Amino acid sequence: MKSRTPDFPAPLDAEKRKATPPVVCYPVDQLRVAPLELYFRARKNFELVESLEVPAREARTFEIPAGHFFRIVCVDGPQVGDLNLWQAENLQERFYSGKTRALHGTHLSTGDRLWSGFPYLRPLATITADTLDWYGFDEFGAGVHDVIGTRCDPYTSFLSNQTKYHHCCHSNLIRSLALETGLSKAEIEADVHDVLNVFMCTGFLQDTHQYFMKASPVRSGDYLEFFAEVHLLGALSACPGGDCGSEHSSDSSTCYPLRVEHYCPTNDELTKVGCRSPSINGYDRSHGMGN
Ligand SMILES: [Zn+2]
C-alpha cells in the first residue's frame, strides 16, 4: 500500500505532475470488436442442450462447442462462481484475466470478451447477456463480475492463519480438472489460472485502494451468458464464500449450487455469414531475435 507518510518529500511541481490527464491504455474500439448483433440473432430461440449442476463448495468441468452459448445461472440463492476457460484441445491456451482487465476494465458485462494468453491472445468467449448489468458501479465503487481477484486458494489462507482448507476455488478447480483430464493434481495445478469472478461484487477502497468484496446482488434466476468463440473446456467453482459478503476460505458462509446451461443455436445466422473461430494472434513470435 502507498504510505500515508511518504519517506520522500514531494517535488515543487508535484501537483503539476499529478494533474496530467489519464490516457486509456487500450481503447476498445481498436480491438477486434465482437459482432454482437450477429450473436443476438443467433441466440434467438436457441435450445437448451444440457444442464450441469455445480454443487456448493465444489467445481465441475463442461465442454462447449465453438458457436454455441452457455449460461452460468444462480439457482437457489446468492452465490459467486469462479470460472476458468481453456481451448478444449490445448490447455496451454487459457483465459488471461490480467489482459482482459487491461482491455475491458475491472468488471465485465455484455459485449466484453474473455481473451486467451500469449502467444494466442484471441477471444475465447464473448459475453452476450448479463442480468446484473443494471448494477453498474455503486457508491463504494463496486461492480459485479470482476477480473481483479485471482481465486480463493489454500496457500494464502495458510499464510494468513496456518489452517488447511481444501475447498477454496483453486483446489476445487484442480480436483475437477484432474478428474476431467485423468492427470494428477501436481500435473494439472499450473493449468488452473486466474478467474472471472462471476456474480462477485468487488472494488477498491477509496483511501487505501485495497481490493474489497461485498455481498453479491445476484438472486435466483440471474445469469451471465457467453458465446463460445472456440471449442471450450470450462471449469466453474461454486466459491466457499457463498455471496462473498463476509468470508471466503472456510465453511462458515452459506453456499448454494450454481448451474451451467449449454445452448445450441437453432437458426443458421452464424453459418449464413461463415462465422468461424478467431484465428490465433498474428504476431510472429520473433521478439527481435529473428526466426
Ligand atoms: Zn472462491
Side-chain angles (χ1 to χ4, degrees):
M1 275 181 287
K2 299 292 188 185
S3 173
R4 290 196 172 124
T5 54
D7 293 330
F8 297 91
L12 291 176
D13 64 345
E15 290 310 313
K16 189 178 165 201
R17 294 192 205 179
K18 287 185 172 185
T20 57
V23 176
V24 172
C25 292
Y26 301 105
V28 176
D29 54 9
Q30 291 174 14
L31 297 174
R32 207 184 305 199
V33 177
L36 274 185
E37 289 305 319
L38 172 65
Y39 297 167
F40 292 157
R41 290 200 302 277
R43 71 192 282 280
K44 278 185 185 164
N45 307 316
F46 58 11
E47 270 177 6
L48 180 66
V49 179
E50 201 175 5
S51 193
L52 170 75
E53 180 167 309
V54 180
R57 297 191 177 85
E58 291 290 349
R60 292 289 183 270
T61 56
F62 57 93
E63 253 187 88
I64 307 292
H68 288 209
F69 294 80
F70 68 99
R71 284 180 180 174
I72 296 172
V73 186
C74 173
V75 281
D76 288 337
Q79 175 64 44
V80 163
D82 285 47
L83 177 69
N84 268 194
L85 291 177
W86 300 264
Q87 200 280 330
E89 283 87 23
N90 172 22
L91 299 194
Q92 295 297 306
E93 184 176 7
R94 60 180 76 110
F95 173 52
Y96 185 3
S97 79
K99 184 57 77 178
T100 300
R101 177 172 67 247
L103 296 177
H104 295 297
T106 52
H107 297 78
L108 306 187
S109 191
T110 306
D112 292 333
R113 314 187 93 172
L114 281 72
W115 296 77
S116 60
F118 307 148
Y120 311 98
L121 196 62
R122 62 173 168 171
L124 293 176
T126 299
I127 297 176
T128 47
D130 171 14
T131 65
L132 291 175
D133 65 357
W134 56 267
Y135 194 88
F137 289 99
D138 63 26
E139 62 178 301
F140 304 99
V144 289
H145 314 310
D146 81 70
V147 277
I148 312 166
T150 53
R151 66 228 179 239
C152 59
D153 71 90
Y155 302 102
T156 311
S157 294
F158 191 81
L159 276 182
S160 309
N161 50 32
Q162 280 71 55
T163 56
K164 293 179 187 170
Y165 181 67
H166 303 303
H167 286 265
C168 287
C169 290
H170 180 72
S171 302
N172 296 345
L173 292 167
I174 287 174
R175 288 196 306 279
S176 66
L177 192 60
L179 193 66
E180 169 73 28
T181 59
L183 296 170
S184 71
K185 56 183 183 296
E187 289 171 303
I188 215 69
E189 182 161 12
D191 290 314
V192 171
H193 49 275
D194 286 352
V195 300
L196 168 62
N197 279 310
V198 180
F199 304 140
M200 194 169 180
C201 190
T202 59
F204 292 104
L205 295 178
Q206 298 196 344
D207 50 356
T208 62
H209 289 231
Q210 283 171 289
Y211 183 47
F212 73 81
M213 60 186 191
K214 59 192 292 248
S216 173
V218 71
R219 297 293 180 266
S220 301
D222 279 319
Y223 60 86
L224 188 62
E225 183 187 284
F226 305 82
F227 174 76
E229 301 281 356
V230 302
H231 181 192
L232 287 174
L233 173 65
L236 180 70
S237 169
C239 182
D243 71 0
C244 288
S246 56
E247 165 75 47
H248 61 69
S249 295
S250 72
D251 277 342
S252 66
S253 299
T254 303
C255 289
Y256 300 94
L258 290 168
R259 193 164 64 224
V260 180
E261 295 176 346
H262 168 193
Y263 291 88
C264 177
T266 56
N267 57 40
D268 62 352
E269 291 292 334
L270 296 169
T271 48
K272 257 190 328 201
V273 297
C275 184
R276 58 175 64 130
S277 293
S279 49
I280 63 169
N281 196 272
Y283 176 62
D284 64 6
R285 303 185 69 186
S286 57
H287 305 292
M289 299 174 74
N291 292 314

